[in-house]
Amino acid sequence: MEDILQRIKETEAYCWKCRTPLSREDLMVVDEGETTIAELCYSCYEETMMN
């Protein structure tokens, strides 16, 4: 139970595409100008950039 609570506390964000919980350090932010277009995990970011 303590592990689950600790992970919830450490989770600051979610990937917009696959909903994986992430810390802010692991989040890939895609910006256009001053507008955030997406916040993705690395796998989804890589997939998006390849297309």
Side-chain angles (χ1 to χ4, degrees):
M1 185 63 153
E2 289 295 318
D3 282 346
I4 294 170
L5 292 174
Q6 186 62 32
R7 278 186 279 163
I8 290 170
K9 287 180 185 177
E10 291 173 358
T11 301
E12 298 175 19
Y14 291 87
C15 174
W16 289 8
K17 187 172 181 182
C18 70
R19 304 300 300 157
T20 300
L22 301 164
S23 67
R24 281 278 165 206
E25 293 88 35
D26 295 330
L27 195 65
M28 306 297 291
V29 178
V30 180
D31 292 328
E32 185 172 293
E34 293 185 22
T35 304
T36 298
I37 297 173
E39 294 180 343
L40 305 168
C41 67
Y42 186 76
S43 295
C44 291
Y45 174 80
E46 197 171 47
E47 181 182 319
T48 301
M49 291 300 135
M50 289 256 187
N51 293 329

